[in-house]
């Protein structure tokens, strides 16, 4: 550990060493007068870097995207009050979608806090805890460091709670504590998720037996893989279960690409009534569903149209199991799944749910680009290990219908659904791609309305020389909203921008990017086939012109369901 | 009231009619699926308009800027969860700086809330109150409408609390209540601030007597006008006090331009130790200080170096008076000041504190633009009734040293100090300028680091054809931070943009704007003298190149004070 000397480490570096242990190689942030001493440490540390973002919301999104790609932890650094509150939405989104993000806030010195001075960046009421209270609603744990003696333990507890819950945590560090020396001893013990329940061995054995029995006796068992399988790292063990049994598996939208979509047992993406019809039919023949890490939100479940009746379903979660109708607290899939893999036996052929082939991509469509043709064409462009991020709107619903190759990572905010998210998170994803041991391209699909929220981070991508392929869907406004309400309302219009000039204006070096405008399938298809484009060795910015009232199949269905329930 | 028919009004329109009564002619926002039914009503209402912003933080800032210019109320409309949390910093800033902003959030229908459904835009935990709890920390009052029967009363209470406290309020409106009809009866009674204390007549009379006596007997009395005088609309009555007594008055940074800076009794801007020396000397000769609406924050008081000892000072506030060391709760300056004006008599000539002339602007400086020469030159450019907004950083400290003409409005976040604020708030200011009965130019000073946070709102200015004059100070990064900490640190660097190309890229019509780049005083001075530029009949975007380590006098002093207390 680079910053440890004679068993001592500064408090700031203690936190950095912990972040490094958790897999953070780059942190995102915006400087402010209360966090600069901490930023000094990052700038001087050989094993962690800093990506300066244009604003804090985007920095929070970037940390989220980074964590999704590394599968580990993201870090965002802001300043007291003004900076941290700008990141609120990003942290809440990570909380909602269960992404591990550490929000580190530089705060006034312990002396100033003690005096309750009416400082700039305060609410003017001499209270310093309002921002902490806000953070408590959107994080797994908070640590407001104040005493050097207890700070290491508080940091460790806070980070461990983040690991346990797969939700963000919040740590404040006063300017005068950053460089205080403390013992580095506890850094020798790696952090583990805190466990908040006693051993449940008999319950576990009972459940494993019963689940294995269901696999044996069901006529048509299936497995559903959802987001928490990814967040809690049980995908590999879930895959072993699938390999050993030969069971057909499905993913939810939030679990998309958790396992290889080219796997022969992959049944498709199940979204209840808005699934592709063959997928829906296949899934709903099941008389036993093992659901791993499900998040039953409206957009993840086709507005709650998942057919998973209690008597046929076992849900495995990070902190409980639902066995048919019974709830078992404190039993986790991390423990259950390895035991289950040992116990299950291969299914009989008759038990296997037939897998329907993914709709084939049939030649290049022609003429103006439509949503219907765009996504099948896009599927042909993807390569192994691609990172594919899609913004809430037509993009996320469209990418759901593409087949992602082996090793691909899919990122979208299906639950939180904050427009603009992808603009920041793609920066984090692209930074993480640079660290990846396998080569990864970073590909973004995002609409024009959404990109306007967070556009400045395009400049940061140029600044740090990451190389995403960006498909900007120019459909002249908030198309997803038009489908839900007010298709011709002015509030769904936006200002038309000259999108392909942005990188130049944002100071990207001439040889660091290329821009393209495509209106027809012929143009888009030709571009995708160009080796220099597909190589992704610079920023590729593609403006796709597409109809204002055009949307993917699934979005149209979802929007009409949403409009109905809102009314 | 346009939306009232047969004594009935829809709940959504009830809220709009109240906003209109409070002076809101334009509301700012971003659409989302839970606020679109409410946006329909605005789009259809003849007396209130909607400005669609690029993101919610900027929309919140715009509402703040609008309220500062109209002197009334701003309104921002966001959607549940994702939208409202993005505006958190803007609302907290309005809370801190006591600006009246109504934050209206479209939320899921009462039915969905009742079901506790895991909807998109939720934290995934079926709790719908986290966002309310967050809002409670940064607003004077909240109203979460749920029952049509009580909604009007709840709206009225919430808005009245905002008026009483001069802080924001927060109102959620479920999609299914927007069009429910309710009685319009209470709209006939105008809203007044709720009064939360019993009559204090004897106390008031006692205090007025004593204060009048101090005016008579002090050797050198002065008046200090600060931000709350503006926020609570006591500036006019304070001016009567000054006219009748002939007393010398000063303002704080946050009170700048509250009263005419060309008034013969104006002593200057008092910022304790970082005041201009002549101003400091004049103020500190006083043996009686009547301080009206003070906000004793660090940057407003020269890091708490105001010399206002208790025995010589009477503070008048919106909800209490501090008479020398004694605190009198529930006595307000709204009541005290008119009584005091009646009772005071003109000062004797010997009592008057000498006013030092504002440092004269002596000809055009020459050569590369410096902070030292920039602000005196800028002073010569201002006209009566100009709106001058300045971003936290060199801009706000610089504008403090300019003399603003009669009727001018000054806007800056001296207390909250959120960088990026001015980029959104100038949109609101420019929209308010269009409504002004006297012609007003809208002028912004903002650094490059700050503008990057909120740059997309430049596009909204072009879209809505407002006509600010924007001075972009290109000093290659976060100069204010460099003065506080880490002058050569990379985290204080930013990506260099081609600033003058932004309006074109953001789709501004060719004849709707002009851009300029100036490096020398000769160029800037010539530009300011050009009638077509000064006419402000289109967007004028001026990029001023200025030294990276150059700052106004007051900022240098403040930064070194801040660095010291942080350490």
């Amino acid at each position: 550990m680079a910053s440890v000397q004679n068993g001592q480490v500064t408090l700031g570096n203690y936190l950095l060493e912990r972040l490094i242990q958790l897999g953070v190689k780059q942190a995102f942030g915006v400087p402010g007068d209360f966090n600069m001493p901490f930023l000094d440490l990052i700038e001087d540390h050989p094993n962690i870097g800093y990506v300066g973002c244009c604003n804090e919301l985007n920095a929070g999104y970037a940390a989220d995207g980074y964590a999704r790609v590394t599968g580990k932890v993201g870090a965002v650094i802001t300043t007291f009050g003004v900076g941290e509150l700008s990141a609120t939405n990003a942290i809440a989104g990570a909380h909602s979608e269960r992404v591990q993000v550490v929000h580190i806030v530089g705060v006034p010195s312990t002396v100033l806090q003690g005096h309750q001075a009416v400082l700039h960046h305060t609410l003017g009421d001499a209270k310093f805890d309002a921002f902490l209270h806000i953070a408590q609603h959107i994080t797994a744990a908070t640590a407001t460091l104040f005493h050097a003696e207890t700070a290491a333990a508080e940091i460790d507890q806070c980070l461990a709670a983040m690991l346990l819950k797969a939700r963000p945590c919040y740590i404040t560090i006063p300017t005068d504590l950053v460089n205080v020396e403390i013992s580095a001893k506890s850094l020798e013990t790696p952090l583990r998720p805190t466990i908040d329940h006693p051993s449940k061995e008999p319950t576990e054995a009972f459940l494993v037996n019963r689940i294995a029995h269901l696999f044996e006796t069901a006529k048509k068992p299936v497995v559903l893989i959802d987001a928490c399988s990814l967040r809690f790292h049980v995908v590999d063990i879930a895959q072993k279960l699938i390999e050993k049994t030969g069971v057909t598996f499905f993913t939810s939208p939030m679990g998309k690409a958790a396992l290889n979509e080219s796997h022969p047992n992959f049944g498709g993406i199940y979204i209840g009534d808005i699934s592709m019809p063959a997928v829906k039919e296949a899934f709903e023949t099941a008389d036993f569903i093992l659901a791993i890490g499900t998040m039953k939100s409206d957009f993840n479940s086709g507005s709650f149209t998942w057919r998973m009746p209690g008597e046929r379903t076992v849900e495995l979660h990070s902190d409980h199991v639902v066995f048919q109708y019974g709830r078992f607290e404190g039993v986790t899939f991390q423990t259950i799944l390895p035991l289950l893999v040992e116990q299950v036996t291969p299914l009989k052929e008759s038990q296997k749910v037939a897998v329907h082939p993914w709709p084939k991509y049939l030649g290049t469509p022609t003429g103006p680009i439509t949503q219907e043709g765009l996504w099948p064409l896009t599927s042909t462009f993807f390569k192994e290990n691609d990172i594919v991020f899609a913004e809430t709107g037509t993009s996320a619903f469209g990418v759901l219908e593409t087949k992602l190759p082996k090793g691909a990572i899919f990122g979208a905010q299906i639950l939180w659904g904050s427009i603009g998210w992808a603009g920041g998170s793609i920066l984090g994803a692209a930074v993480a791609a640079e660290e990846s041991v396998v080569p990864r391209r970073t590909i973004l699909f995002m609409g024009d309305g959404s990109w306007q929220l967070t556009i400045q981070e395009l400049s940061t991508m140029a600044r740090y020389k990451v190389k995403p392929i960006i498909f900007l869907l120019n459909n002249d406004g908030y198309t997803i909203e038009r489908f839900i309400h007010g298709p011709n309302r002015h509030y769904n219009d936006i200002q038309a921008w000259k999108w392909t000039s942005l990188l130049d204006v944002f100071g990207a070096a001439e040889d660091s990017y290329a821009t393209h405008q495509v209106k027809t399938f012929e143009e888009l298809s030709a571009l995708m086939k160009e080796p220099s484009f597909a190589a992704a060795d610079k920023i590729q910015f593609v403006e796709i012109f597409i109809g204002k009232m055009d949307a993917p199949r699934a979005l149209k269905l979802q929007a009409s369901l949403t409009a109905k329930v809102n009314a």
Side-chain angles (χ1 to χ4, degrees), chain A residues 107-287:
Chain A
V107 300
S109 71
T110 55
V111 181
L112 284 175
Q113 289 190 54
H115 289 170
Q116 305 211 305
V118 180
L119 302 179
H120 61 291
H121 306 340
T122 68
L123 295 175
D125 52 8
K127 285 184 208 151
F128 283 77
D129 56 0
F131 313 136
L132 164 67
H133 292 313
I134 288 173
Q136 284 168 336
H137 290 286
I138 51 173
T139 55
T142 61
T144 49
L145 309 183
F146 204 85
H147 303 287
E149 299 74 18
T150 53
E154 289 172 66
I155 289 171
D156 287 358
Q157 273 176 10
C158 192
L159 295 173
M162 171 185 71
L163 298 176
L164 176 72
K165 303 277 186 191
R167 298 201 192 266
C169 72
Y170 170 91
I171 299 175
T172 62
I173 181 160
T175 50
D176 59 337
L177 290 192
V178 169
N179 290 304
V180 173
E181 295 228 324
I182 61 172
S183 163
K185 184 75 189 155
S186 47
L187 287 176
E188 292 163 17
T189 313
L191 279 179
R192 304 233 177 277
T194 45
I195 288 169
D196 57 0
H197 53 78
S199 164
K200 293 274 185 180
E201 272 177 41
T203 318
E204 286 157 7
F206 169 80
L207 287 170
V208 167
N209 264 323
R210 297 291 303 268
I211 298 170
H213 179 71
L214 283 171
F215 266 109
E216 262 171 54
T217 55
K219 281 183 195 147
K220 295 284 180 192
V222 297
V223 166
L224 178 70
I225 306 278
D226 200 354
C228 281
S229 312
L230 283 159
R231 304 295 193 267
F232 290 91
H233 310 108
V234 298
V235 168
D236 289 349
I237 189 73
Q239 180 163 1
K240 284 187 186 143
L241 180 74
I242 287 158
E243 304 294 357
K244 190 165 175 195
T245 55
V247 69
T248 298
F249 71 95
F250 297 78
T251 62
S252 69
M254 292 180 80
K256 182 173 172 65
L259 286 172
N260 182 2
E261 296 193 337
S262 299
H263 194 288
N265 298 14
F266 180 51
I269 297 180
Y270 180 60
I271 333 175
D273 286 354
I274 70 171
S275 313
M276 287 194 271
V279 172
K280 175 174 153 70
E281 201 194 310
F283 185 92
E284 294 180 359
T285 60
D287 62 342

Side-chain angles (χ1 to χ4, degrees), chain A residues 311-322:
Chain A
E311 67 273 17
R312 284 191 251 159
T313 306
V314 175
E315 296 176 25
L316 307 184
H317 294 281
S318 63
D319 56 1
H320 71 283
V321 164
V322 181

Side-chain angles (χ1 to χ4, degrees), chain A residues 403-444:
Chain A
K403 184 170 177 178
L404 293 180
K406 195 177 158 193
I409 295 171
F410 171 63
Q413 269 197 339
I414 305 283
L415 170 53
W416 188 241
S418 179
I419 63 169
W421 166 83
S425 67
I426 197 67
L427 165 68
V431 168
E434 306 265 317
E435 299 169 6
S436 171
V437 288
V438 294
R440 291 186 184 279
R441 303 186 302 180
T442 310
I443 301 169
L444 170 66

Side-chain angles (χ1 to χ4, degrees), chain A residues 445-466:
Chain A
F445 296 89
M446 189 161 181
D448 51 354
S450 295
W451 242 132
Q452 291 197 347
L453 280 92
T454 48
I455 191 61
Q456 47 273 87
E457 245 44 56
L458 189 58
S459 138
T460 310
M461 295 184 236
R463 181 178 177 198
Y464 288 90
K465 302 191 175 19
V466 293

Side-chain angles (χ1 to χ4, degrees), chain A residues 4 76 79 229 234 242 287 324 328 429:
Chain A
V4 176
V76 55
T79 199
S229 312
V234 298
I242 287 158
D287 62 342
Q324 293 168 335
F328 297 75

